Amino acid sequence: AQKITQTQPGMFVQEKEAVTLDCTYDTSDPSYGLFWYKQPSSGEMIFLIYQGSYDQQNATEGRYSLNFQKARKSANLVISASQLGDSAMYFCAMREGYNNNDMRFGAGTRLTVKP
Amino acid sequence: GAGVSQSPSNKVTEKGKDVELRCDPISGHTALYWYRQSLGQGLEFLIYFQGNSAPDKSGLPSDRFSAERTGGSVSTLTIQRTQQEDSAVYLCASSLGSSESIYNEQFFGPGTRLTVL
């Protein structure tokens, strides 16, 4: 069964506007962590933001924030004030449990920022 | 400090040949992961190693694929009798692998681009 679902293969956003990239997950473990990575055309994977299942507040890192809705099992990434350099693939990932270091990734969303 | 390194960066091989891809994780990282990324696709989990535990091989697509990790550090992914559908970028990642925290940022290598002719 798919653990991480990213339903948007591609997204477009106008420069300086905000954009939300969707991610839903499936787990029965009460302890889990959610991660977002960015992969520019150069290919490297860049860690962006992390949300723990017990965190009371939504994670924020600069222009990145995570809209964490636990009951809906969604962890959408919000990028504010989009920049041309934000054009990339974005992957959502999850780790389940303290004794399991396995990480599973979604299929990704390709974001294109238009000038 | 040094990040995750992978070699070679590019590998072109003929169908039917065996290839070995190498990954050097960050020193002290106990968890090591291999992923495959086909052109324009997401990351496909292949295998992961955690310390001295038996590796999780659940993602290996066929018995032509195998991996080992020697001394808890360097890992080699071997593909035997390569096929054209094996062409992809093979990414390696490592993490601290702590069981005390869910936080488990993976640090990725630059990948090996494999082309099977």
Side-chain angles (χ1 to χ4, degrees):
Chain A
Q2 197 71 277
K3 292 280 188 179
I4 295 284
T5 303
Q6 294 180 255
T7 57
Q8 307 153 314
M11 289 282 287
F12 290 87
V13 64
Q14 204 66 38
E15 192 178 9
K16 300 181 185 176
E17 307 226 325
V19 63
T20 298
L21 306 183
D22 294 344
C23 173
T24 57
Y25 57 92
D26 180 30
T27 181
S28 57
D29 196 318
S31 304
Y32 54 90
L34 298 155
F35 303 76
W36 277 91
Y37 283 82
K38 172 185 178 181
Q39 187 180 43
S41 56
S42 54
E44 76 266 35
M45 293 285 284
I46 302 167
F47 168 72
L48 295 178
I49 196 168
Y50 164 80
Q51 180 84 46
S53 61
Y54 296 119
D55 293 344
Q56 294 297 312
Q57 294 185 320
N58 287 344
T60 61
E61 286 288 345
R63 294 186 299 110
Y64 304 108
S65 61
L66 209 150
N67 183 0
F68 182 45
Q69 298 188 38
K70 198 169 181 176
R72 294 185 177 187
K73 294 188 176 178
S74 75
N76 299 339
L77 176 70
V78 180
I79 305 175
S80 62
S82 297
Q83 302 172 356
L84 296 178
D86 294 335
S87 294
M89 282 289 287
Y90 289 81
F91 294 99
C92 181
M94 176 173 67
R95 175 191 175 189
E96 298 173 273
Y98 287 86
N99 294 315
N100 172 24
N101 282 293
D102 188 10
M103 288 257 285
R104 299 303 167 109
F105 285 76
T109 295
R110 181 171 296 281
L111 177 66
T112 302
V113 180
K114 298 189 286 186
Chain B
V4 178
S5 61
Q6 292 185 245
S7 61
S9 55
N10 279 284
K11 177 72 177 178
V12 180
T13 190
E14 294 179 348
K15 178 181 172 181
K17 302 275 190 182
D18 298 350
V19 295
E20 284 189 352
L21 312 180
R22 177 188 169 105
C23 172
D24 273 285
I26 292 173
S27 177
H29 280 192
T30 61
L32 185 148
Y33 310 77
W34 282 100
Y35 298 91
R36 178 169 70 175
Q37 187 175 29
S38 301
L39 186 63
Q41 302 298 311
L43 274 70
E44 177 188 4
F45 166 77
L46 296 178
I47 186 171
Y48 100 93
F49 299 86
Q50 171 59 52
N52 296 320
S53 302
D56 178 352
K57 304 180 182 180
S58 60
L60 294 178
S62 77
D63 59 7
R64 297 187 295 105
F65 288 72
S66 63
E68 62 177 25
R69 188 178 185 191
T70 54
S73 181
V74 171
S75 177
T76 303
L77 177 69
T78 301
I79 309 173
Q80 296 177 309
R81 305 180 303 281
T82 51
Q83 304 294 313
Q84 288 182 331
E85 60 263 28
D86 299 334
S87 296
V89 175
Y90 290 81
L91 289 164
C92 174
S94 71
S95 72
L96 283 171
S98 170
S99 61
E100 297 176 353
S101 169
I102 289 285
Y103 181 72
N104 184 43
E105 179 185 349
Q106 292 190 357
F107 296 82
F108 282 81
T112 294
R113 182 175 298 278
L114 175 67
T115 303
V116 182
L117 301 177

